[in-house]
Amino acid sequence: MKRVFALALGVMTAIGGFVDVGNLVTSGITGARFGMSLTWAIVVGTIAMTLYGEMAGRVAAVARRPVFHIIRERLGVRTALVNLLAFVLLSLLTLAAELGGVALVLELVTGINYLVWVPLIAAAVWLIVWRMSFSVMENLFGVLGLCLVVFVVALFVLPTDWGSLWHGVTHPWVPPREGHPMYLFYAVSLLGACLVPYQVVFFSSGGREEHWTPKNLTEMRFNCVVGFPLGGLLSIAIMAAAAVVLQPLQINVKHLGQVALPVARALGPVGLSIALVGFAAALLAAAAECALSIGYSVGQFFGWSWGKDRRPREAPRFHLVCLVAVIAATAFILTSIDPIAVTVVSVVLGAAAVPLTYFPVLVVANDRDYMGGRVNRRWSNALATVFLVLMVVTSIAAIPLIFFTKAGQ
Amino acid sequence: MLCALLVSAAAAGGCAGPTVTDGGYRAKTAGMLGDISSSLATAQLAVGLDLKGRMALALTDESVSQAESDASSSESSWETRQPPSDAMLALHDRISGPAQDAVSALRKLRIAVRRGDPDAIRTALDGLDEPAAVIDRLSRAVSG
Amino acid sequence: MRAVELIGAAVYDSDGVPVGAVRDLFFEAVGGQVPDSGRPAYRLRALECGAVGLAHRLGYGHRSITGPWPLTVLMQRLVQNSLIVGWEQIAALGTGRVDLAVRRDQLRWAQQEEL
Amino acid sequence: MDAGKRFSADEMLLDRQIFDADDQPLGKVDDLELTLPDGGGPPVLTAILCGPTALGPRIGGRIGQWWAAVGRRLRPSDEPYPNRIPLDQVGKVDSTRLTLTVSRDVLDADRMRDWTRDHIIGRIPGA
């Protein structure tokens, strides 16, 4: 019974951890603008995330190496440093988006301008990093993040035409007023929202924080293979809710509140409140994970002691990096730049940076000196190679697409 | 650095660059009309749900004020553009009035929602129907 | 002497023909101790020189990497083109430059070398 | 140091995580020190070098110089030579980890950590 409970908890945290501000925003925007015709991008992104998440988790458990140890060992100092800088800048942008996202949710709850909330939320995120134990953080927010399941419930209450939704999934088409570049831009944004680099760094470093050994492999795989796809399903549900309610009204999603309107229509005040709790929990957890991932990556690159299972005195530089990251992201979002625009740009840039983090993981997952007999199987290598090629293509296309579509406007 | 640059480029993207051709101006106009009609629809949906008791917290208030500010900023940034030809000047004159009407209808709705008087809200909500229909017609004329 | 002075240094043979850059250092436990060396003492036996560093860094030179398929072929081809320079084949060590006492074709290929 | 009969720098040493005798992390192998023996013959590996003053030159360029300068400031009397851990204090080395035979507290090898702890993090309540 205890084991079943642990497994269930793990899956729930994987679901809650998968969904962040990138998924909420991109699913809402694309559902309203493109209906279900971009579902394939979430499916592809989720499969790739599951595959590479499992690899990173396996490397963390068997070789006891978190991602940035591997990156430095296998890419050498200079390439790894470039990689680290790209990762840190990108994660700062993501952190800023998550902080801004929580603040926007609180504005929806209280009616008080989000900029007032930003410093308070930043303080809360830092306190989570500073004091809260790793497992409490993961489990509490993971379970609260599950409130987002109201989107699935809403779909069953709404007059959903399942046949036409399914038709949209299986017959992807480009709406005539959008054009192909716009379609591709949002496809990349959905891929980027599923394949966020910080999530792999967090997942593998979290594995080290919880002292995984090869004994934990089954549990870890179960979390990946069940949790991540369910998280992807949640993203699809958010997209579908927008497609059912917002698309017929030709609403162009620019605010988080619009993403929640379908739930209000289906389930009224209670459902809406649950959805907003889900938003806040998922984004707050993502913000803390993002701040931690910045500390993890820098600490692992330099070989410092890092992690939440050490007292701050024992890992001073790790905590300093986390603190500075939170302050920098807060300052950035306080310039009153639109957090939704920051989110969209951050997921697309994230898609551009994905191969940097994922490629070394793939190589090491094939290295018998690290992994012994637990190297990748042939089929998972075949699949991983296909996705790697796709990620490289996406990565090359991402930045031109940002400029060409003016970041999707 | 690069990230910050890209973000600011993206944020500025909406209002950057002079429009030189008729086609460009037409596209900008269609975009502005699309923004206004999306704002009108959002406000209608949110307030309609509110009147049925399906909204909670500050969501109605926020949705309506965001709709108004989106519509008004999109309209005013469109107004700052110089129409490139006489034909486009005529287009501008045909659209400018209805677009401003839509923005002011949204403003009335926002004020009514702030005051919280159900009758005033209902009247202001009905007041969106007319501009919504006009914007919809113009939008189709411009893109078609 | 520090490893950073060797790794990345350009290597030229006795005729001044470029051989590549130093990618890796091979050590062997032989010979007497010196202060701090501990027991056994490890001596620099050879340098590995190649044109492309990436394949080495990733570990396709000596480690047992089993995949993924197209990459293994590509990387092993890159690694095969590297040469082994024995310490006794070095004529002079300069800043960022290693001059050899032998011609390029007298060097051994890396794939014939067992570690 | 015990690393078998033969090994390569890339495969076992450079950029590996260093753990002390109590299993605490103590930086990376940022560089290696080789000494030419008096009697001639090939250089002998005598120490692993770690910390900013060792890493800076490997990064190279301005960033490397700056990082090395940060490290120098934290060294006693601006000593430019990096922290060295003599090879006789290194225990088992394999391709996954490098373990020292002494505790990191004995080595005084990580002044940057101590400085951050004493001047910043230690002053925040709850540290």
Side-chain angles (χ1 to χ4, degrees):
Chain A
M1 191 60 213
K2 206 176 160 194
R3 196 174 153 71
V4 173
F5 178 72
L7 278 181
L9 198 62
V11 169
M12 285 193 280
T13 59
I15 300 171
F18 185 87
V19 180
D20 71 350
V21 69
N23 299 89
L24 292 181
V25 168
T26 55
S27 291
I29 293 178
T30 51
R33 276 173 78 161
F34 302 91
M36 298 307 284
S37 67
L38 278 168
T39 315
W40 61 268
I42 299 185
V43 173
V44 169
T46 307
I47 296 175
M49 178 66 199
T50 308
L51 199 65
Y52 278 87
E54 191 273 337
M55 264 185 238
R58 182 151 39 93
V59 171
V62 178
R64 314 211 166 166
R65 292 288 212 297
V67 168
F68 264 89
H69 272 208
I70 290 169
I71 288 177
R72 174 142 177 211
E73 280 172 20
R74 295 275 56 105
L75 295 182
V77 171
R78 289 186 195 200
T79 318
L81 186 67
V82 172
N83 208 320
L84 178 74
L85 289 177
F87 175 82
V88 168
L89 284 178
L90 181 69
S91 301
L92 278 174
L93 206 59
T94 312
L95 176 56
E98 312 278 0
L99 286 171
V102 186
L104 288 174
V105 175
L106 287 184
E107 178 174 334
L108 292 177
V109 171
T110 59
I112 298 169
N113 188 289
Y114 78 99
L115 290 172
V116 176
W117 292 108
V118 169
L120 294 172
I121 292 154
V125 168
W126 177 73
L127 273 178
I128 294 171
V129 171
W130 184 250
R131 292 300 291 181
M132 194 180 268
S133 88
F134 189 85
S135 57
V136 171
M137 175 187 82
E138 264 213 314
N139 298 338
L140 177 69
F141 291 108
V143 173
L144 281 177
L146 271 194
C147 289
L148 293 172
V149 172
V150 284
F151 278 92
V152 180
V153 179
L155 276 179
F156 284 95
V157 177
L158 287 167
T160 304
D161 179 353
W162 294 97
S164 91
L165 279 189
W166 180 246
H167 185 85
V169 173
T170 50
H171 298 74
W173 62 288
V174 183
R177 62 193 183 113
E178 299 286 3
H180 283 86
M182 204 56 94
Y183 186 81
L184 287 177
F185 176 84
Y186 278 107
V188 170
S189 80
L190 287 167
L191 281 173
C194 294
L195 285 166
V196 196
Y198 90 80
Q199 283 176 342
V200 164
V201 170
F202 180 78
F203 190 63
S204 82
S205 307
R208 293 315 310 141
E209 293 249 38
E210 294 179 325
H211 307 287
W212 284 352
T213 64
K215 280 185 197 149
N216 301 84
L217 277 180
T218 317
E219 186 189 331
M220 184 279 293
R221 283 202 172 120
F222 191 75
N223 290 352
C224 277
V225 173
V226 180
F228 289 159
L230 286 178
L233 208 61
L234 224 48
S235 301
I236 295 176
I238 295 168
M239 181 191 255
V244 169
V245 175
L246 306 179
Q247 195 194 14
L249 301 172
Q250 301 199 344
I251 288 176
N252 195 350
V253 170
K254 288 189 169 153
H255 306 280
L256 272 181
Q258 289 166 310
V259 181
L261 286 177
V263 178
R265 169 144 164 212
L267 302 169
V270 176
L272 179 62
S273 308
I274 296 176
L276 291 182
V277 170
F279 281 13
L283 303 195
L284 194 61
E289 290 172 4
C290 204
L292 283 168
S293 299
I294 294 171
Y296 290 149
S297 62
V298 177
Q300 289 162 13
F301 176 87
F302 288 110
W304 301 337
S305 41
W306 52 271
K308 277 175 74 62
D309 67 339
R310 291 189 161 86
R311 290 177 54 92
R313 297 187 62 82
E314 302 294 316
R317 286 169 295 191
F318 164 75
H319 275 280
L320 182 63
V321 170
C322 293
L323 177 62
V324 171
V326 172
I327 293 173
T330 309
F332 182 61
I333 215 72
L334 281 177
T335 60
S336 83
I337 189 164
D338 176 18
I340 303 293
V342 175
T343 304
V344 172
V345 173
S346 79
V347 290
V348 177
L349 285 180
V354 153
L356 293 176
T357 322
Y358 286 40
F359 176 62
V361 172
L362 175 61
V363 171
V364 167
N366 276 295
D367 191 331
R368 282 188 187 278
D369 288 353
Y370 282 85
M371 302 298 293
R374 298 191 198 271
V375 287
N376 276 0
R377 301 278 164 78
R378 194 170 292 188
W379 63 266
S380 70
N381 262 340
L383 216 54
T385 309
V386 171
F387 282 122
L388 189 72
V389 171
L390 184 77
M391 285 180 219
V392 171
V393 172
T394 311
S395 148
I396 294 166
I399 290 175
L401 278 173
I402 291 186
F403 283 103
F404 202 69
T405 63
K406 290 176 181 158
Q409 289 185 2
Chain B
M1 186 83 97
L2 178 72
C3 294
L5 214 76
L6 283 168
V7 171
S8 42
C15 46
T19 317
V20 282
T21 62
D22 280 14
Y25 189 76
R26 206 175 267 280
K28 291 286 171 203
T29 310
M32 184 273 292
L33 290 173
D35 286 347
I36 291 189
S37 100
S38 160
S39 297
L40 288 168
T42 305
Q44 281 174 320
L45 176 62
V47 176
L49 289 172
D50 192 76
L51 289 173
K52 286 185 212 142
R54 303 196 75 79
M55 294 287 265
L57 309 163
L59 193 62
T60 314
D61 229 8
E62 288 296 322
S63 301
V64 177
S65 6
Q66 284 163 351
E68 189 224 323
S69 80
D70 286 352
S72 124
S73 77
S74 179
E75 199 271 340
S76 56
S77 97
W78 172 76
E79 288 284 3
T80 59
R81 272 169 214 284
Q82 194 69 31
S85 67
D86 287 346
M88 289 303 108
L89 189 63
L91 181 76
H92 168 271
D93 293 346
R94 227 173 85 211
I95 282 169
S96 182
Q100 280 165 16
D101 290 347
V103 172
S104 67
L106 278 169
R107 187 169 308 128
K108 276 185 200 134
L109 180 63
R110 196 239 316 152
I111 293 165
V113 168
R114 272 281 150 83
R115 286 219 316 268
D117 169 11
D119 289 331
I121 295 175
R122 243 176 229 113
T123 316
L125 181 60
D126 292 342
L128 293 190
D129 292 346
E130 164 90 36
V134 174
I135 294 290
D136 192 38
R137 209 172 51 240
L138 287 172
S139 185
R140 246 174 290 162
V142 169
S143 28
Chain C
M1 185 166 42
R2 285 159 67 168
V4 68
E5 296 163 29
L6 286 172
I7 290 181
V11 183
Y12 297 92
D13 79 354
S14 53
D15 300 335
V17 179
V19 175
V22 179
R23 299 298 172 195
D24 201 356
L25 311 177
F26 290 169
F27 292 92
E28 190 170 22
V30 280
Q33 290 171 250
V34 299
D36 287 346
S37 72
R39 182 191 297 267
Y42 288 95
R43 268 157 212 276
L44 182 65
R45 178 168 59 93
L47 314 174
E48 183 168 21
C49 310
V52 187
L54 178 75
H56 288 274
R57 291 291 338 190
L58 286 174
Y60 284 92
H62 323 294
R63 309 175 73 89
S64 39
I65 300 193
T66 53
W69 161 72
L71 218 57
T72 41
V73 178
L74 182 76
M75 292 293 175
Q76 270 151 15
R77 182 153 301 175
L78 287 177
V79 172
Q80 277 168 8
N81 290 329
S82 56
L83 293 156
I84 301 294
V85 174
W87 177 257
E88 67 288 348
Q89 293 173 310
I90 295 174
L93 286 174
T95 338
R97 185 184 169 106
V98 177
D99 287 293
L100 303 185
V102 294
R103 285 199 322 277
R104 188 176 202 271
D105 52 26
Q106 291 171 291
L107 297 171
R108 284 162 296 158
W109 290 99
Q111 79 254 38
Q112 295 156 354
E113 182 78 10
E114 37 123 10
L115 187 72
Chain D
M1 184 176 93
D2 172 19
K5 179 138 179 67
R6 289 173 163 195
F7 66 91
S8 89
D10 210 26
E11 174 209 28
M12 284 219 194
L13 281 181
L14 280 177
D15 298 313
R16 294 307 145 127
Q17 179 74 45
I18 307 169
F19 292 93
D20 77 351
D22 308 320
D23 222 19
Q24 293 300 313
L26 182 93
K28 298 270 181 188
V29 180
D30 290 317
D31 205 349
L32 304 172
E33 181 194 83
L34 305 168
T35 307
L36 283 165
D38 294 336
V44 178
L45 189 61
T46 41
I48 53 181
L49 306 175
C50 63
T53 35
L55 183 60
R58 282 194 69 214
I59 294 172
R62 285 236 180 113
I63 298 177
Q65 280 172 13
W66 172 78
W67 190 241
V70 169
R72 263 201 308 281
R73 291 287 303 275
L74 294 165
R75 306 274 295 140
S77 64
D78 257 12
E79 165 69 56
Y81 200 80
N83 296 309
R84 58 191 299 279
I85 301 174
L87 235 53
D88 50 16
Q89 294 181 341
V90 178
K92 181 111 181 89
V93 176
D94 59 28
S95 61
T96 55
R97 57 190 284 136
L98 184 149
T99 318
L100 303 183
T101 53
V102 291
S103 156
R104 65 177 175 183
D105 305 324
V106 182
L107 284 170
D108 185 31
D110 207 352
R111 285 176 178 249
M112 199 182 174
R113 177 178 60 114
D114 300 344
W115 189 90
T116 320
R117 184 187 58 212
D118 298 341
H119 290 81
I120 305 170
I121 295 300
R123 297 186 176 180
I124 303 173

